[in-house]
Amino acid sequence: MLGGEIARNRYGEFLVARQWYSSPERCGADTEVLRLLLSANSELTEWELQRAADPEKWLLLDTETTGLVGGTGTYAFLIGLAWWESGGIRIEQLFMRDHDEEHSILLELADRLAERPVLVTFNGKCFDWPLLQNRFRMTRQIATPAFAAHLDLLHPARQLWRLQIGSVRLTELEQYVLGAESLGWSRRNDIDSSRIPEFYFEFLRGVAIDGIAGVFHHNRMDLRGLAALAGRIFRMLSQLEGGEQEPLELYAISHLLNRRGECSKARRVYERCLSMKLPEPIARRARNEAARLAKRERDFGRATELWNELASSSEP
DNA sequence: AGAAGGCCTGTTCAGGGAGA
DNA sequence: TCTCCCTGAACAGGCCTTCT
């Protein structure tokens, strides 16, 4: 029912389920966009950045756990991994059928990370990775693997779409940004994620297996959603001039560029979104920022023009 | 429910330019 | 040369959001 097979390494057995999907397609990446997406305090050298911008080195990760609370009592019982392969996406799910299989799935994760050392997650900086770090430490035998870079898409997604859709949960992004229909799967039969721990405990007690099958399915959709999101973000940010972004998306991109210190690019994008139909409060913010950047670039004529427009508009 | 990254806002301070 | 003002950087504190 889980569609997996028994695998073995030096710490013992575990269950692994493997699938390949033709979508989402491999994501294109470049160093400029990656620099924008990595958090401001990530200090990669140019060489490390170039290496990290190779999607062949990316390992998408999403874990299912026995709870949200960190600490020693929470296990990552299912480690979902994905990478691009043969024009599509390969998914590998490492599952511990009992607590004594934890060492073997952690070792497997460490091996995968050695092959693909760029970690891609959604909220993984706050949730998945600290929890896994904790689990590695608890083994006292397997060193916490190092990665070359950690690309957490939650924060870029929030910057890009919060204005447009409010909540930027992965499922909301799939529905309103990526387009659930075009993704090729539906969340209609998805489980309620708050019941994930309960399904695992049922499995451990041997009560029911269909709940845990739902968890596997949920995890695969999260990984595919994450892959699709990565593709979408990289496409959007690499086509700043000629892309077909929504006005609010464009505003969000300019704001992102501005905060990352890319002033000239930010100004061009502010100007581009001002030529589109923006809600008035956002248009005012865009005008104000564009004016500030124009002044900074000593384009006083344009800065004055924008401030005059602001002064003559009705809002205070 | 717990953790933590990042954003937002406000404050402080240093440095540079203009004017007396 | 001194003073004042403006700007930008740095920092702190509070808040929000996401994950299972």
Side-chain angles (χ1 to χ4, degrees), chain A residues 89-154:
Chain A
I89 188 163
R90 163 71 61 195
I91 289 182
E92 199 171 87
Q93 295 170 293
L94 316 173
F95 179 62
M96 58 184 220
R97 294 166 299 170
D98 209 333
H99 292 98
D100 62 3
E101 293 188 348
E102 186 184 32
H103 280 45
S104 44
I105 65 168
L106 289 174
L107 179 67
E108 206 65 16
L109 167 62
D111 287 349
R112 293 288 172 276
L113 203 46
E115 294 159 13
R116 293 181 169 76
V118 178
L119 201 56
V120 182
T121 59
F122 192 78
N123 198 30
K125 274 193 176 166
C126 289
F127 184 72
D128 304 78
W129 192 247
L131 191 133
L132 286 167
Q133 266 183 315
N134 205 15
R135 298 319 307 171
F136 275 109
R137 282 195 206 106
M138 296 283 290
T139 67
R140 296 179 168 223
Q141 291 177 60
I142 310 170
T144 308
F147 47 74
H150 186 170
L151 184 56
D152 187 343
L153 297 183
L154 166 65

Side-chain angles (χ1 to χ4, degrees), chain A residues 172-239:
Chain A
E172 309 277 339
L173 289 165
E174 280 177 21
Q175 190 173 351
Y176 300 109
V177 175
L178 303 170
E181 297 310 312
S182 67
L183 285 174
W185 72 86
S186 156
R187 292 268 185 180
R188 269 193 294 277
N189 299 322
D190 195 13
I191 54 166
D192 172 2
S193 58
S194 66
R195 298 188 63 197
I196 288 171
E198 173 191 330
F199 290 138
Y200 183 58
F201 294 131
E202 277 179 4
F203 169 84
L204 287 183
R205 289 199 309 271
V207 176
I209 195 174
D210 47 335
I212 204 72
V215 175
F216 272 68
H217 180 62
H218 169 85
N219 182 252
R220 287 194 293 273
M221 285 194 289
D222 276 357
L223 286 164
R224 292 176 74 193
L226 177 63
L229 182 66
R232 177 70 202 271
I233 291 176
F234 272 85
R235 265 196 312 282
M236 254 177 81
L237 295 179
S238 58
Q239 298 170 356

Side-chain angles (χ1 to χ4, degrees), chain A residues 280 284 287 307-316:
Chain A
E280 193 46 35
R284 288 180 64 82
R287 245 180 232 114
W307 279 320
N308 283 335
E309 284 173 21
L310 271 173
S312 62
S313 64
S314 55
E315 295 268 335

Side-chain angles (χ1 to χ4, degrees), chain A residues 20-64:
Chain A
W20 180 88
Y21 298 95
S22 57
S23 70
E25 289 173 9
R26 184 181 180 283
C27 147
D30 63 65
T31 50
E32 286 304 302
V33 177
L34 190 65
R35 203 195 310 272
L36 273 179
L37 295 179
L38 288 171
S39 69
N41 53 16
S42 140
E43 292 175 3
L44 295 188
T45 64
E46 197 56 35
W47 183 82
E48 287 167 330
L49 199 65
Q50 294 216 348
R51 192 159 158 254
D54 175 8
E56 296 290 319
K57 297 286 177 205
W58 293 5
L59 186 70
L60 285 68
L61 173 126
D62 179 56
T63 60
E64 309 305 331

Side-chain angles (χ1 to χ4, degrees), chain A residues 241-293:
Chain A
E241 309 295 331
E244 293 187 359
Q245 297 92 346
E246 298 284 321
L248 278 175
E249 279 179 343
L250 214 51
Y251 171 77
I253 293 171
S254 49
H255 191 60
L256 176 73
L257 289 164
N258 197 7
R259 292 200 68 88
R260 291 283 193 267
E262 298 276 353
C263 300
S264 299
K265 278 188 195 167
R267 187 185 160 198
R268 282 202 300 278
V269 183
Y270 276 127
E271 291 283 5
R272 223 190 113 200
C273 64
L274 279 173
S275 70
M276 301 164 93
K277 185 72 188 159
L278 280 172
E280 193 46 35
I282 305 297
R284 288 180 64 82
R285 275 150 71 176
R287 245 180 232 114
N288 192 32
E289 280 306 311
R292 200 179 61 79
L293 294 172

